[in-house]
Amino acid sequence: MLLILIGSFALFTYLQPDIFLNPVNLQNIMIASPEIGVIAVAMMVAMLTGGIDLSTVAVANLSAITITTLYSSLMASDPARAAQMMPFIVLLGLVVGLAGGLFNGFLISYVGIAPILATLGSMQIFNGLAIVWTGGKTLYGAPEELAAVGKAGVLGMPTTFIALLVIAGLVAIFLNKTSLGRKTQLLGTNPVAARYSGINSRQVLMSTYMLTGLLGGCAGVLFLARNPTSSADYGSSYVLLVIVIAVLGGTNPAGGFATVTGVVLATLTLQTVASGFNAIRLSAYEYSIAQGAILILVMILDQASTKRKLNKGLNKANWFKKKARK
Amino acid sequence: MAKAYRALPVLEVKNIVKTYGGVKALDEVSMALTAGNVHCLAGENGCGKSTLIKIISGVEQPDSGSIYIDGKLQEKLSPFSSIMAGIQVIYQDFSLFPNLSVAENITITSQVAIRAKLFSASKAKIAAATIIKELGLTLDLSAKVEALSVADKQLTAICRALINDARVIVMDEPTTALTHTEVDYLFDVVRKLRERGVALVFVSHKLEESLQVSQDVTILRNGKHIISGIASEFDRKSLTQYITGRDVSEAREITSPVMTAKPLMEVSHLCSSGAFNDVSFTLHSGEILGITGLLGSGRTEIAEALFGVRPAESGTIEIDGQAIRVRTIRDAIKAGIGYLPEDRLTQGLFLDKSVGDNIIAGSLDKHRSAFGLLDGEGISKTTQSMFDRLKIKAKSVSAPVRSLSGGNAQRVVLGKLLANQPKVLILNGPTVGVDIGSKEQILEILRNEANLGRGVIVISDDSLELVSVCNRVLVVRQGEIVDTLTGSQITATNIQEMTTA
């Protein structure tokens, strides 16, 4: 994945060095990545259990709308208090995300609905809620501080990008260094064996979807940090895009295998390609062709390498058996 | 008549050599199949049996050596030409279509082979019925295959082979999933196949059965052709020697349990409607208790009730004198029960994960340090110690379990259980699909664990295995414990008689 990222970066640098290497363009890649990246990480976590979460974007919008509405109404009555309450309002946005995840988790782990259907349903509900609430209009008046934080940066890196790295890091620690995270991976590999190993699949699934909901909430906050407006249909193209990113990043849709690093790199790659296409003046439609082509190309390479690995593995196993017998 | 056939084998392979990436899977192997005879192909896992079958069925091409069908040299045998020559392989999973009916399954491959454009269900039924009648079977033609028992699935596969005019039928581990009665029935069918002049190849780990049904024997070891001969010239002991290349003891070697007043585990009046009734027994520390019975007798259900997979409806379970409630698997694990499930591939292992990940899978919560994070050092210590203690043969703890042989994979499941330090170890078919050498070693592991003070319950229908390790054997019939064998009563014949009585 890293190779592809570097490769695509090099390609566009070669094609249009002036525009592509322009700090503003690089800045733009880093500004556009975080929200998609966080949602893609959420998608990866759901896929790790062999499930999927289609509702994350809707959850993110709901969280952004909650924050905007609360803040702007408070702002109208008492500006000083609004500024003071801002962190709590943001926290509330995250709680909305968590609640959405709780709802998904309940449907999937206790009721037993297939994740793709449960989250399709909840996506519709959350989307509908958001449209009814906003009347389909774009809301203005999100906390300006948030946007200011979003615009600020450390060492040329936008804060939101740092937020992506931090969130990705935390998720990676969760998945690899906590008991619950490891159980998530095992459950995705073989749910039956997980059950026989005493893994509480309800608890694991519940926390998985709470995590994806929470990440959705984070994404909502990132939406606002990038752009202080919120609407019900923001980022509607992300739903399928993040699946592409997750799979590009090496996530096995059947469950059990995924890395956070892979997903972050895949996010950056696609953003690089997007902005590169921009730089060489190709349209969004051509970019969409490229997206699909990259996905299929990576899958083909993946197939080839698994086959090779499998053969190698078998030969090794045979070799080992021989050796052991001697 | 038989003599005439003997003169010309239906299928003969001579001096077959096959190498995979520098490893000789087959080294100068020869075998001749005679019409109307059963040929037993025996050897440990990985000895080259599967490769030889692949070559016979045209799936793999040999590096050198020759294949003759009806005395005619085959230049290049492809899967298609092999089937056309009447060679059929019945694999362990039978390769049936679960969503189709028995009649459709029996006829569909022959329809495909003649490139029929349309499939006639009624004609299929007639054709299938003819075959079934010829073999004197009772199979429901319109039943969906997924609803059949393992034995009936196998019969369906045999019928399918016959409708394709099979002259050579290779059966890979045909009896592994069958009960004693079903095996007898299968052998009846085999006799009928022989009368039809079909040559059979029988691949099995169960040596008595193989000897009972076969006329010829070929033994492979490490890809080498060890010996071929007439079945009546072999007995179990000599077969075992040829297969393993060493003596394997079948004597009883049992642990000495601590027969204190208080048993380690006491099960009283356990009931589960439709599965078992009024099951009571005790298990002492250091004891290996066998539970045997036919498939469907309730032996697996009892184990699964103790482990909380399907909890019992009434009755009590006590461990160390304390009553425990087992309503979920986690309850059982918490109470100190470890269970090695019947089907290690789907229930026991995470195949694509590493040996280490598998070993630690059941005891993650016990390996936590500050902030709820996992204790990496503790984990690698546990996995490495299990790896060494159970002598798992893999490159390292990070090798994927998929690359291991049956016996080693089973040790990985055992390691997962032992990492939880259970007081009671329940093993359902611990050596199913494991080769003889590995089997002995797994039984040795069980003795060691019992000697460490654990109570071990072995559920098995392998009477020799029970004779080899058990202090006592409970016999289950139709959901009830009908007998307890102790000491000198524990013999293979006794066990077989009791279970089928």
Side-chain angles (χ1 to χ4, degrees), chain A residues 47-51 180-195 199-206 208-209 254-256, chain B residues 350 353 361:
Chain A
M47 281 179 151
L48 195 56
T49 61
L180 196 57
R182 291 283 276 268
K183 286 176 184 172
T184 310
Q185 300 192 29
L186 291 172
L187 183 73
T189 317
N190 182 349
V192 178
R195 179 160 171 257
I199 291 172
N200 184 345
S201 64
R202 277 188 180 166
Q203 182 204 347
V204 171
L205 285 177
M206 197 73 201
T208 301
Y209 286 94
Chain B
F350 303 92
K353 293 279 176 190

PDB file of all heavy atoms in Angstrom, chain A residues 47-51 180-195 199-206 208-209 254-256, chain B residues 350 353 361:
ATOM      1  N   MET A  47     -15.772  -4.349   9.464  1.00  0.00           N
ATOM      2  CA  MET A  47     -15.440  -5.455   8.559  1.00  0.00           C
ATOM      3  C   MET A  47     -14.577  -6.499   9.239  1.00  0.00           C
ATOM      4  O   MET A  47     -14.613  -7.672   8.887  1.00  0.00           O
ATOM      5  CB  MET A  47     -14.702  -4.916   7.329  1.00  0.00           C
ATOM      6  CG  MET A  47     -15.626  -4.306   6.306  1.00  0.00           C
ATOM      7  SD  MET A  47     -14.633  -3.689   4.942  1.00  0.00           S
ATOM      8  CE  MET A  47     -15.782  -3.860   3.597  1.00  0.00           C
ATOM      9  N   LEU A  48     -13.824  -6.065  10.219  1.00  0.00           N
ATOM     10  CA  LEU A  48     -12.949  -6.980  10.937  1.00  0.00           C
ATOM     11  C   LEU A  48     -13.756  -8.090  11.608  1.00  0.00           C
ATOM     12  O   LEU A  48     -13.313  -9.226  11.719  1.00  0.00           O
ATOM     13  CB  LEU A  48     -12.156  -6.187  11.983  1.00  0.00           C
ATOM     14  CG  LEU A  48     -10.949  -6.850  12.618  1.00  0.00           C
ATOM     15  CD1 LEU A  48      -9.967  -7.288  11.572  1.00  0.00           C
ATOM     16  CD2 LEU A  48     -10.284  -5.898  13.588  1.00  0.00           C
ATOM     17  N   THR A  49     -14.973  -7.776  12.038  1.00  0.00           N
ATOM     18  CA  THR A  49     -15.805  -8.807  12.659  1.00  0.00           C
ATOM     19  C   THR A  49     -16.595  -9.566  11.598  1.00  0.00           C
ATOM     20  O   THR A  49     -17.440 -10.379  11.929  1.00  0.00           O
ATOM     21  CB  THR A  49     -16.819  -8.193  13.632  1.00  0.00           C
ATOM     22  OG1 THR A  49     -17.674  -7.299  12.882  1.00  0.00           O
ATOM     23  CG2 THR A  49     -16.159  -7.426  14.729  1.00  0.00           C
ATOM     24  N   GLY A  50     -16.333  -9.266  10.342  1.00  0.00           N
ATOM     25  CA  GLY A  50     -17.088  -9.904   9.277  1.00  0.00           C
ATOM     26  C   GLY A  50     -18.377  -9.167   8.983  1.00  0.00           C
ATOM     27  O   GLY A  50     -19.206  -9.626   8.219  1.00  0.00           O
ATOM     28  N   GLY A  51     -18.551  -7.989   9.587  1.00  0.00           N
ATOM     29  CA  GLY A  51     -19.763  -7.209   9.368  1.00  0.00           C
ATOM     30  C   GLY A  51     -19.489  -5.999   8.498  1.00  0.00           C
ATOM     31  O   GLY A  51     -18.524  -5.954   7.737  1.00  0.00           O
ATOM     32  N   LEU A 180     -10.264  -7.096  24.386  1.00  0.00           N
ATOM     33  CA  LEU A 180     -11.473  -6.939  23.574  1.00  0.00           C
ATOM     34  C   LEU A 180     -11.132  -6.818  22.083  1.00  0.00           C
ATOM     35  O   LEU A 180     -11.795  -7.409  21.232  1.00  0.00           O
ATOM     36  CB  LEU A 180     -12.230  -5.699  24.052  1.00  0.00           C
ATOM     37  CG  LEU A 180     -13.678  -5.565  23.616  1.00  0.00           C
ATOM     38  CD1 LEU A 180     -14.491  -6.763  24.043  1.00  0.00           C
ATOM     39  CD2 LEU A 180     -14.282  -4.288  24.201  1.00  0.00           C
ATOM     40  N   GLY A 181     -10.080  -6.064  21.796  1.00  0.00           N
ATOM     41  CA  GLY A 181      -9.691  -5.882  20.405  1.00  0.00           C
ATOM     42  C   GLY A 181      -9.262  -7.184  19.754  1.00  0.00           C
ATOM     43  O   GLY A 181      -9.635  -7.487  18.617  1.00  0.00           O
ATOM     44  N   ARG A 182      -8.484  -7.966  20.494  1.00  0.00           N
ATOM     45  CA  ARG A 182      -8.037  -9.254  19.951  1.00  0.00           C
ATOM     46  C   ARG A 182      -9.225 -10.186  19.750  1.00  0.00           C
ATOM     47  O   ARG A 182      -9.283 -10.954  18.797  1.00  0.00           O
ATOM     48  CB  ARG A 182      -7.020  -9.894  20.898  1.00  0.00           C
ATOM     49  CG  ARG A 182      -5.705  -9.153  20.927  1.00  0.00           C
ATOM     50  CD  ARG A 182      -4.853  -9.450  19.709  1.00  0.00           C
ATOM     51  NE  ARG A 182      -4.104 -10.671  19.898  1.00  0.00           N
ATOM     52  CZ  ARG A 182      -2.879 -10.717  20.400  1.00  0.00           C
ATOM     53  NH1 ARG A 182      -2.251  -9.622  20.706  1.00  0.00           N
ATOM     54  NH2 ARG A 182      -2.275 -11.865  20.577  1.00  0.00           N
ATOM     55  N   LYS A 183     -10.175 -10.101  20.681  1.00  0.00           N
ATOM     56  CA  LYS A 183     -11.364 -10.929  20.530  1.00  0.00           C
ATOM     57  C   LYS A 183     -12.141 -10.525  19.290  1.00  0.00           C
ATOM     58  O   LYS A 183     -12.727 -11.365  18.610  1.00  0.00           O
ATOM     59  CB  LYS A 183     -12.267 -10.790  21.759  1.00  0.00           C
ATOM     60  CG  LYS A 183     -11.741 -11.508  22.981  1.00  0.00           C
ATOM     61  CD  LYS A 183     -12.641 -11.240  24.158  1.00  0.00           C
ATOM     62  CE  LYS A 183     -12.110 -11.868  25.426  1.00  0.00           C
ATOM     63  NZ  LYS A 183     -12.882 -11.439  26.586  1.00  0.00           N
ATOM     64  N   THR A 184     -12.139  -9.208  19.001  1.00  0.00           N
ATOM     65  CA  THR A 184     -12.814  -8.736  17.794  1.00  0.00           C
ATOM     66  C   THR A 184     -12.226  -9.422  16.567  1.00  0.00           C
ATOM     67  O   THR A 184     -12.947  -9.896  15.694  1.00  0.00           O
ATOM     68  CB  THR A 184     -12.616  -7.216  17.656  1.00  0.00           C
ATOM     69  OG1 THR A 184     -12.961  -6.607  18.879  1.00  0.00           O
ATOM     70  CG2 THR A 184     -13.477  -6.644  16.551  1.00  0.00           C
ATOM     71  N   GLN A 185     -10.889  -9.484  16.524  1.00  0.00           N
ATOM     72  CA  GLN A 185     -10.238 -10.121  15.376  1.00  0.00           C
ATOM     73  C   GLN A 185     -10.575 -11.599  15.292  1.00  0.00           C
ATOM     74  O   GLN A 185     -10.845 -12.128  14.221  1.00  0.00           O
ATOM     75  CB  GLN A 185      -8.720  -9.975  15.484  1.00  0.00           C
ATOM     76  CG  GLN A 185      -8.268  -8.544  15.516  1.00  0.00           C
ATOM     77  CD  GLN A 185      -6.765  -8.444  15.325  1.00  0.00           C
ATOM     78  OE1 GLN A 185      -6.155  -9.275  14.687  1.00  0.00           O
ATOM     79  NE2 GLN A 185      -6.172  -7.411  15.881  1.00  0.00           N
ATOM     80  N   LEU A 186     -10.547 -12.273  16.467  1.00  0.00           N
ATOM     81  CA  LEU A 186     -10.808 -13.712  16.475  1.00  0.00           C
ATOM     82  C   LEU A 186     -12.243 -13.999  16.049  1.00  0.00           C
ATOM     83  O   LEU A 186     -12.511 -14.921  15.287  1.00  0.00           O
ATOM     84  CB  LEU A 186     -10.541 -14.289  17.865  1.00  0.00           C
ATOM     85  CG  LEU A 186      -9.081 -14.304  18.289  1.00  0.00           C
ATOM     86  CD1 LEU A 186      -8.955 -14.698  19.746  1.00  0.00           C
ATOM     87  CD2 LEU A 186      -8.288 -15.269  17.424  1.00  0.00           C
ATOM     88  N   LEU A 187     -13.163 -13.191  16.556  1.00  0.00           N
ATOM     89  CA  LEU A 187     -14.571 -13.375  16.210  1.00  0.00           C
ATOM     90  C   LEU A 187     -14.762 -13.275  14.702  1.00  0.00           C
ATOM     91  O   LEU A 187     -15.521 -14.029  14.105  1.00  0.00           O
ATOM     92  CB  LEU A 187     -15.424 -12.318  16.919  1.00  0.00           C
ATOM     93  CG  LEU A 187     -16.925 -12.446  16.707  1.00  0.00           C
ATOM     94  CD1 LEU A 187     -17.468 -13.614  17.493  1.00  0.00           C
ATOM     95  CD2 LEU A 187     -17.647 -11.172  17.109  1.00  0.00           C
ATOM     96  N   GLY A 188     -14.040 -12.329  14.097  1.00  0.00           N
ATOM     97  CA  GLY A 188     -14.156 -12.170  12.659  1.00  0.00           C
ATOM     98  C   GLY A 188     -13.577 -13.353  11.890  1.00  0.00           C
ATOM     99  O   GLY A 188     -14.044 -13.694  10.819  1.00  0.00           O
ATOM    100  N   THR A 189     -12.549 -13.991  12.466  1.00  0.00           N
ATOM    101  CA  THR A 189     -11.925 -15.116  11.777  1.00  0.00           C
ATOM    102  C   THR A 189     -12.826 -16.345  11.782  1.00  0.00           C
ATOM    103  O   THR A 189     -12.979 -17.013  10.779  1.00  0.00           O
ATOM    104  CB  THR A 189     -10.592 -15.508  12.445  1.00  0.00           C
ATOM    105  OG1 THR A 189      -9.897 -14.309  12.755  1.00  0.00           O
ATOM    106  CG2 THR A 189      -9.755 -16.358  11.544  1.00  0.00           C
ATOM    107  N   ASN A 190     -13.382 -16.663  12.940  1.00  0.00           N
ATOM    108  CA  ASN A 190     -14.223 -17.858  13.049  1.00  0.00           C
ATOM    109  C   ASN A 190     -15.162 -17.707  14.243  1.00  0.00           C
ATOM    110  O   ASN A 190     -14.783 -17.996  15.374  1.00  0.00           O
ATOM    111  CB  ASN A 190     -13.343 -19.102  13.204  1.00  0.00           C
ATOM    112  CG  ASN A 190     -14.158 -20.369  13.271  1.00  0.00           C
ATOM    113  OD1 ASN A 190     -15.380 -20.344  13.396  1.00  0.00           O
ATOM    114  ND2 ASN A 190     -13.484 -21.497  13.184  1.00  0.00           N
ATOM    115  N   PRO A 191     -16.391 -17.265  13.994  1.00  0.00           N
ATOM    116  CA  PRO A 191     -17.317 -17.002  15.093  1.00  0.00           C
ATOM    117  C   PRO A 191     -17.613 -18.236  15.935  1.00  0.00           C
ATOM    118  O   PRO A 191     -17.783 -18.128  17.164  1.00  0.00           O
ATOM    119  CB  PRO A 191     -18.594 -16.518  14.403  1.00  0.00           C
ATOM    120  CG  PRO A 191     -18.347 -16.511  12.955  1.00  0.00           C
ATOM    121  CD  PRO A 191     -16.947 -16.926  12.686  1.00  0.00           C
ATOM    122  N   VAL A 192     -17.635 -19.425  15.295  1.00  0.00           N
ATOM    123  CA  VAL A 192     -17.955 -20.641  16.052  1.00  0.00           C
ATOM    124  C   VAL A 192     -16.833 -20.965  17.024  1.00  0.00           C
ATOM    125  O   VAL A 192     -17.059 -21.201  18.213  1.00  0.00           O
ATOM    126  CB  VAL A 192     -18.200 -21.829  15.100  1.00  0.00           C
ATOM    127  CG1 VAL A 192     -18.482 -23.089  15.879  1.00  0.00           C
ATOM    128  CG2 VAL A 192     -19.346 -21.520  14.161  1.00  0.00           C
ATOM    129  N   ALA A 193     -15.596 -20.943  16.510  1.00  0.00           N
ATOM    130  CA  ALA A 193     -14.457 -21.223  17.383  1.00  0.00           C
ATOM    131  C   ALA A 193     -14.360 -20.164  18.480  1.00  0.00           C
ATOM    132  O   ALA A 193     -13.971 -20.460  19.604  1.00  0.00           O
ATOM    133  CB  ALA A 193     -13.168 -21.276  16.573  1.00  0.00           C
ATOM    134  N   ALA A 194     -14.743 -18.928  18.157  1.00  0.00           N
ATOM    135  CA  ALA A 194     -14.709 -17.861  19.162  1.00  0.00           C
ATOM    136  C   ALA A 194     -15.657 -18.214  20.300  1.00  0.00           C
ATOM    137  O   ALA A 194     -15.328 -18.068  21.474  1.00  0.00           O
ATOM    138  CB  ALA A 194     -15.096 -16.532  18.524  1.00  0.00           C
ATOM    139  N   ARG A 195     -16.824 -18.723  19.936  1.00  0.00           N
ATOM    140  CA  ARG A 195     -17.803 -19.082  20.953  1.00  0.00           C
ATOM    141  C   ARG A 195     -17.246 -20.195  21.839  1.00  0.00           C
ATOM    142  O   ARG A 195     -17.317 -20.132  23.067  1.00  0.00           O
ATOM    143  CB  ARG A 195     -19.079 -19.538  20.255  1.00  0.00           C
ATOM    144  CG  ARG A 195     -20.170 -19.960  21.172  1.00  0.00           C
ATOM    145  CD  ARG A 195     -21.524 -19.938  20.475  1.00  0.00           C
ATOM    146  NE  ARG A 195     -22.506 -20.554  21.331  1.00  0.00           N
ATOM    147  CZ  ARG A 195     -22.973 -21.795  21.140  1.00  0.00           C
ATOM    148  NH1 ARG A 195     -22.582 -22.498  20.105  1.00  0.00           N
ATOM    149  NH2 ARG A 195     -23.836 -22.297  21.981  1.00  0.00           N
ATOM    150  N   ILE A 199     -15.467 -16.650  24.106  1.00  0.00           N
ATOM    151  CA  ILE A 199     -15.553 -15.234  23.759  1.00  0.00           C
ATOM    152  C   ILE A 199     -17.021 -14.845  23.674  1.00  0.00           C
ATOM    153  O   ILE A 199     -17.822 -15.510  23.015  1.00  0.00           O
ATOM    154  CB  ILE A 199     -14.817 -14.968  22.425  1.00  0.00           C
ATOM    155  CG1 ILE A 199     -13.314 -15.150  22.636  1.00  0.00           C
ATOM    156  CG2 ILE A 199     -15.121 -13.565  21.908  1.00  0.00           C
ATOM    157  CD1 ILE A 199     -12.497 -15.101  21.362  1.00  0.00           C
ATOM    158  N   ASN A 200     -17.367 -13.763  24.374  1.00  0.00           N
ATOM    159  CA  ASN A 200     -18.745 -13.313  24.423  1.00  0.00           C
ATOM    160  C   ASN A 200     -19.029 -12.490  23.170  1.00  0.00           C
ATOM    161  O   ASN A 200     -18.710 -11.314  23.097  1.00  0.00           O
ATOM    162  CB  ASN A 200     -18.940 -12.470  25.681  1.00  0.00           C
ATOM    163  CG  ASN A 200     -20.375 -12.051  25.866  1.00  0.00           C
ATOM    164  OD1 ASN A 200     -21.181 -12.137  24.934  1.00  0.00           O
ATOM    165  ND2 ASN A 200     -20.688 -11.614  27.063  1.00  0.00           N
ATOM    166  N   SER A 201     -19.639 -13.126  22.172  1.00  0.00           N
ATOM    167  CA  SER A 201     -19.746 -12.451  20.875  1.00  0.00           C
ATOM    168  C   SER A 201     -20.684 -11.251  20.960  1.00  0.00           C
ATOM    169  O   SER A 201     -20.491 -10.257  20.278  1.00  0.00           O
ATOM    170  CB  SER A 201     -20.205 -13.423  19.807  1.00  0.00           C
ATOM    171  OG  SER A 201     -21.495 -13.877  20.093  1.00  0.00           O
ATOM    172  N   ARG A 202     -21.688 -11.325  21.825  1.00  0.00           N
ATOM    173  CA  ARG A 202     -22.587 -10.174  21.968  1.00  0.00           C
ATOM    174  C   ARG A 202     -21.826  -8.954  22.455  1.00  0.00           C
ATOM    175  O   ARG A 202     -21.947  -7.869  21.900  1.00  0.00           O
ATOM    176  CB  ARG A 202     -23.684 -10.492  22.982  1.00  0.00           C
ATOM    177  CG  ARG A 202     -24.796 -11.254  22.357  1.00  0.00           C
ATOM    178  CD  ARG A 202     -25.925 -11.375  23.328  1.00  0.00           C
ATOM    179  NE  ARG A 202     -27.003 -12.122  22.711  1.00  0.00           N
ATOM    180  CZ  ARG A 202     -28.024 -12.630  23.377  1.00  0.00           C
ATOM    181  NH1 ARG A 202     -28.104 -12.456  24.682  1.00  0.00           N
ATOM    182  NH2 ARG A 202     -28.959 -13.282  22.752  1.00  0.00           N
ATOM    183  N   GLN A 203     -21.054  -9.182  23.490  1.00  0.00           N
ATOM    184  CA  GLN A 203     -20.287  -8.078  24.064  1.00  0.00           C
ATOM    185  C   GLN A 203     -19.332  -7.508  23.018  1.00  0.00           C
ATOM    186  O   GLN A 203     -19.218  -6.291  22.866  1.00  0.00           O
ATOM    187  CB  GLN A 203     -19.518  -8.602  25.279  1.00  0.00           C
ATOM    188  CG  GLN A 203     -18.720  -7.560  26.008  1.00  0.00           C
ATOM    189  CD  GLN A 203     -17.575  -8.196  26.776  1.00  0.00           C
ATOM    190  OE1 GLN A 203     -17.513  -9.423  26.957  1.00  0.00           O
ATOM    191  NE2 GLN A 203     -16.656  -7.376  27.225  1.00  0.00           N
ATOM    192  N   VAL A 204     -18.678  -8.407  22.272  1.00  0.00           N
ATOM    193  CA  VAL A 204     -17.701  -7.951  21.290  1.00  0.00           C
ATOM    194  C   VAL A 204     -18.395  -7.157  20.175  1.00  0.00           C
ATOM    195  O   VAL A 204     -17.964  -6.063  19.812  1.00  0.00           O
ATOM    196  CB  VAL A 204     -16.914  -9.143  20.695  1.00  0.00           C
ATOM    197  CG1 VAL A 204     -16.052  -8.702  19.530  1.00  0.00           C
ATOM    198  CG2 VAL A 204     -16.066  -9.799  21.763  1.00  0.00           C
ATOM    199  N   LEU A 205     -19.502  -7.695  19.651  1.00  0.00           N
ATOM    200  CA  LEU A 205     -20.199  -6.998  18.573  1.00  0.00           C
ATOM    201  C   LEU A 205     -20.759  -5.668  19.055  1.00  0.00           C
ATOM    202  O   LEU A 205     -20.698  -4.647  18.372  1.00  0.00           O
ATOM    203  CB  LEU A 205     -21.333  -7.867  18.028  1.00  0.00           C
ATOM    204  CG  LEU A 205     -20.893  -9.018  17.141  1.00  0.00           C
ATOM    205  CD1 LEU A 205     -22.088  -9.847  16.711  1.00  0.00           C
ATOM    206  CD2 LEU A 205     -20.163  -8.497  15.915  1.00  0.00           C
ATOM    207  N   MET A 206     -21.306  -5.688  20.262  1.00  0.00           N
ATOM    208  CA  MET A 206     -21.865  -4.468  20.840  1.00  0.00           C
ATOM    209  C   MET A 206     -20.788  -3.389  20.864  1.00  0.00           C
ATOM    210  O   MET A 206     -20.985  -2.272  20.399  1.00  0.00           O
ATOM    211  CB  MET A 206     -22.340  -4.793  22.261  1.00  0.00           C
ATOM    212  CG  MET A 206     -23.278  -3.800  22.835  1.00  0.00           C
ATOM    213  SD  MET A 206     -24.890  -3.978  22.040  1.00  0.00           S
ATOM    214  CE  MET A 206     -25.546  -2.380  22.394  1.00  0.00           C
ATOM    215  N   THR A 208     -18.020  -3.308  19.222  1.00  0.00           N
ATOM    216  CA  THR A 208     -17.549  -2.978  17.876  1.00  0.00           C
ATOM    217  C   THR A 208     -18.404  -1.871  17.271  1.00  0.00           C
ATOM    218  O   THR A 208     -17.892  -0.868  16.767  1.00  0.00           O
ATOM    219  CB  THR A 208     -17.641  -4.217  16.961  1.00  0.00           C
ATOM    220  OG1 THR A 208     -16.868  -5.245  17.515  1.00  0.00           O
ATOM    221  CG2 THR A 208     -17.146  -3.892  15.573  1.00  0.00           C
ATOM    222  N   TYR A 209     -19.725  -2.058  17.335  1.00  0.00           N
ATOM    223  CA  TYR A 209     -20.590  -1.067  16.686  1.00  0.00           C
ATOM    224  C   TYR A 209     -20.684   0.219  17.503  1.00  0.00           C
ATOM    225  O   TYR A 209     -20.911   1.291  16.948  1.00  0.00           O
ATOM    226  CB  TYR A 209     -21.956  -1.683  16.365  1.00  0.00           C
ATOM    227  CG  TYR A 209     -21.817  -2.619  15.191  1.00  0.00           C
ATOM    228  CD1 TYR A 209     -21.610  -3.979  15.374  1.00  0.00           C
ATOM    229  CD2 TYR A 209     -21.772  -2.114  13.894  1.00  0.00           C
ATOM    230  CE1 TYR A 209     -21.408  -4.822  14.292  1.00  0.00           C
ATOM    231  CE2 TYR A 209     -21.566  -2.952  12.801  1.00  0.00           C
ATOM    232  CZ  TYR A 209     -21.383  -4.303  13.010  1.00  0.00           C
ATOM    233  OH  TYR A 209     -21.166  -5.118  11.941  1.00  0.00           O
ATOM    234  N   ALA A 254     -14.410 -10.606   4.625  1.00  0.00           N
ATOM    235  CA  ALA A 254     -14.980 -11.763   5.297  1.00  0.00           C
ATOM    236  C   ALA A 254     -14.647 -11.771   6.784  1.00  0.00           C
ATOM    237  O   ALA A 254     -15.145 -12.592   7.536  1.00  0.00           O
ATOM    238  CB  ALA A 254     -14.464 -13.042   4.653  1.00  0.00           C
ATOM    239  N   GLY A 255     -13.796 -10.822   7.216  1.00  0.00           N
ATOM    240  CA  GLY A 255     -13.508 -10.713   8.634  1.00  0.00           C
ATOM    241  C   GLY A 255     -12.159 -11.268   9.029  1.00  0.00           C
ATOM    242  O   GLY A 255     -11.576 -12.084   8.327  1.00  0.00           O
ATOM    243  N   GLY A 256     -11.679 -10.804  10.176  1.00  0.00           N
ATOM    244  CA  GLY A 256     -10.486 -11.385  10.760  1.00  0.00           C
ATOM    245  C   GLY A 256      -9.173 -10.691  10.482  1.00  0.00           C
ATOM    246  O   GLY A 256      -8.252 -10.779  11.260  1.00  0.00           O
TER     247      GLY A 256
ATOM    248  N   PHE B 350      -8.847 -21.137  14.760  1.00  0.00           N
ATOM    249  CA  PHE B 350      -8.905 -19.985  13.874  1.00  0.00           C
ATOM    250  C   PHE B 350      -7.838 -20.259  12.815  1.00  0.00           C
ATOM    251  O   PHE B 350      -6.671 -19.922  12.989  1.00  0.00           O
ATOM    252  CB  PHE B 350      -8.610 -18.703  14.648  1.00  0.00           C
ATOM    253  CG  PHE B 350      -9.536 -18.503  15.810  1.00  0.00           C
ATOM    254  CD1 PHE B 350      -9.200 -18.963  17.068  1.00  0.00           C
ATOM    255  CD2 PHE B 350     -10.767 -17.867  15.644  1.00  0.00           C
ATOM    256  CE1 PHE B 350     -10.058 -18.802  18.139  1.00  0.00           C
ATOM    257  CE2 PHE B 350     -11.627 -17.704  16.705  1.00  0.00           C
ATOM    258  CZ  PHE B 350     -11.275 -18.164  17.950  1.00  0.00           C
ATOM    259  N   LYS B 353      -5.272 -17.730  11.542  1.00  0.00           N
ATOM    260  CA  LYS B 353      -4.466 -17.036  12.544  1.00  0.00           C
ATOM    261  C   LYS B 353      -3.279 -17.919  12.923  1.00  0.00           C
ATOM    262  O   LYS B 353      -3.261 -19.121  12.643  1.00  0.00           O
ATOM    263  CB  LYS B 353      -5.321 -16.734  13.775  1.00  0.00           C
ATOM    264  CG  LYS B 353      -6.430 -15.716  13.510  1.00  0.00           C
ATOM    265  CD  LYS B 353      -5.887 -14.302  13.553  1.00  0.00           C
ATOM    266  CE  LYS B 353      -6.995 -13.313  13.197  1.00  0.00           C
ATOM    267  NZ  LYS B 353      -6.473 -11.966  12.998  1.00  0.00           N
ATOM    268  N   ALA B 361      -6.183 -17.560  22.472  1.00  0.00           N
ATOM    269  CA  ALA B 361      -7.540 -17.078  22.194  1.00  0.00           C
ATOM    270  C   ALA B 361      -8.503 -17.226  23.361  1.00  0.00           C
ATOM    271  O   ALA B 361      -9.396 -16.397  23.547  1.00  0.00           O
ATOM    272  CB  ALA B 361      -8.103 -17.802  20.968  1.00  0.00           C
TER     273      ALA B 361
END
